[in-house]
Amino acid sequence: LGVPIVDLYRKPNSVLLYGGAGVFGVLVIGLMLATYEAKRLARAVQGLIPEALASGRGEAAVAKSDVKEIDDVLIAIGRSRRLLQERTLERDRAETTIAARSLADEMFRLAVEACPNGMLMIDILGKISMVNSEIERLFGYGREELIGQSVDVLLPERSRVKHATYRQTFALQPDPHQMGSGRELSGR
């Protein structure tokens, strides 16, 4: 569509008319293309919904679309599904390990409790962390009174300093042995 330059000066309205019609035509074509693309993307996004739901149920996502970005999202959904499965397996293993550990701890506690001798357990600082009922009977303190206290509360005053030294030596080189072998033990 050519408009002679001479006509531009004589009929400026026709130039505006041709220009406006051209812009309008380009706008209509752009809107039609945008509508087509929007519908194509909407169909592709609608296809994502079943895939995402299947992934949430732990099923594999398999659909492909004709839109690269949607395919990328489908790949990401597949990765997230695999990661979710791995994390679920890790959690289940951890729960099993915790349950087994809890059972072992309970069995140990019951074995210590059933022992006819007085038994107590202390941490590296000498704080009582476990006692059995025989210790309660021998010393006359309740379990809740002893837990968290220094083991030295069960010793006579004259033995406390020496006992602290024995404890520190043992902490440096722990070995299983009968406490106080060869010495006379007393408590308060």
Side-chain angles (χ1 to χ4, degrees), residues 134-178:
E134 186 61 18
I135 286 287
E136 291 179 288
R137 189 189 68 71
L138 286 171
F139 288 97
Y141 293 107
R143 191 175 307 244
E144 59 283 341
E145 294 175 272
L146 292 173
I147 303 292
Q149 295 294 319
S150 171
V151 70
D152 295 336
V153 301
L154 300 176
L155 301 175
E157 290 288 332
R158 69 183 186 283
S159 303
R160 288 183 183 183
V161 173
K162 197 179 276 188
H163 185 260
T165 305
Y166 290 145
R167 246 191 13 253
Q168 290 168 351
T169 304
F170 178 78
L172 294 173
Q173 253 184 337
D175 63 329
H177 66 278
Q178 184 176 359

Side-chain angles (χ1 to χ4, degrees), residues 6-46:
V6 176
D7 289 342
L8 286 178
Y9 294 112
R10 290 188 209 143
K11 300 180 187 172
N13 289 338
S14 64
V15 171
L16 291 174
L17 181 63
Y18 288 135
V23 168
F24 182 72
V26 169
L27 182 64
V28 168
I29 291 171
L31 285 174
M32 287 173 38
L33 287 173
T35 301
Y36 170 76
E37 281 299 306
K39 286 181 180 177
R40 189 172 71 89
L41 287 174
R43 281 191 304 273
V45 168
Q46 285 293 332

Side-chain angles (χ1 to χ4, degrees), residues 45-57 59 61:
V45 168
Q46 285 293 332
L48 278 177
I49 293 171
E51 297 304 317
L53 291 173
S55 180
R57 291 187 301 269
E59 302 166 5

